[in-house]
Amino acid sequence: MKTAEINAYKRVAGEAIFEIGRRLKSVRDAKSDSADEKERNLAHQREEAGGWIRWLEEHVDFSRGHADRYIKVCERIDPDVLSTRHTLDALYHMSTLPPEERTRGHTLKSGAVKTPNEMTVRELREVKAALKAEREARSKAEQCIIRQMTKISY
């Protein structure tokens, strides 16, 4: 059935995001003085191309920013706890949430409560904006309290 095939390929695509990120990270972080011969070879290939950015452009046709997104996802998100239906963009937005915010439910403007794993990219952006506004308001309140305390001590 086509539905099963499509869902299987969606799962494969989601898993591929993590695998690409892992491999990009291994090339980026490879050390030329490593005891591991494979790591030394990766470092040599990268440096032969003219460094990390040139290697990305010439060998995998990625920009640094695009590669950074894959790497952030593989470093910060556990693929075993996520739905594999997510795009790189959605996974990247999840990876940039503070760790404690990645698994808890958030109340959206619509009133729905969802975890990041259940959200669309638009909803993830909404949550990130709300968290940023909260952080800024908290920081502003703390600065106001410090100013008030400074005035009292004079």
Side-chain angles (χ1 to χ4, degrees):
M1 177 174 256
K2 292 295 178 197
T3 304
E5 290 174 10
I6 291 167
N7 287 325
Y9 281 116
K10 282 173 49 181
R11 188 184 74 254
V12 170
E15 292 167 0
I17 291 169
F18 291 95
E19 293 304 320
I20 291 167
R22 278 191 204 102
R23 284 161 177 78
L24 288 168
K25 184 178 184 325
S26 70
V27 173
R28 183 196 67 189
D29 297 347
K31 306 284 185 236
S32 57
D33 60 352
S34 172
D36 180 17
E37 184 180 352
K38 287 181 182 179
E39 185 177 347
R40 283 194 315 270
N41 286 339
L42 284 176
H44 180 72
Q45 285 178 1
R46 182 192 63 225
E47 295 313 312
E48 255 189 357
W52 171 236
I53 307 304
R54 298 274 314 268
W55 181 87
L56 282 171
E57 293 167 350
E58 293 175 12
H59 292 273
V60 292
D61 196 26
F62 275 12
S63 68
R64 181 182 189 162
H66 197 66
D68 286 347
R69 284 177 169 241
Y70 277 95
I71 292 169
K72 272 194 176 110
V73 166
C74 93
E75 288 176 331
R76 297 180 180 179
I77 302 288
D78 179 359
D80 296 330
V81 298
L82 287 175
S83 164
T84 54
R85 68 177 176 78
H86 295 296
T87 62
L88 174 61
D89 200 28
L91 291 169
Y92 174 76
H93 283 292
M94 281 185 240
S95 76
T96 58
L97 286 169
E100 65 276 8
E101 301 294 343
R102 293 180 197 153
T103 54
R104 78 174 187 86
H106 297 271
T107 304
L108 303 171
K109 288 178 184 174
S110 67
V113 177
K114 294 183 179 181
T115 64
N117 191 35
E118 301 167 314
M119 294 179 193
T120 64
V121 172
R122 182 183 52 75
E123 291 167 336
L124 286 163
R125 288 182 181 140
E126 176 185 318
V127 166
K128 285 176 64 176
L131 291 171
K132 181 180 179 184
E134 264 179 46
R135 228 179 11 260
E136 289 172 352
R138 192 172 31 253
S139 176
K140 195 173 185 177
E142 288 169 358
Q143 289 172 0
C144 186
I145 290 169
I146 291 169
R147 280 195 296 276
Q148 291 299 324
M149 292 179 74
T150 305
K151 287 180 184 178
I152 292 171
S153 64
Y154 285 118

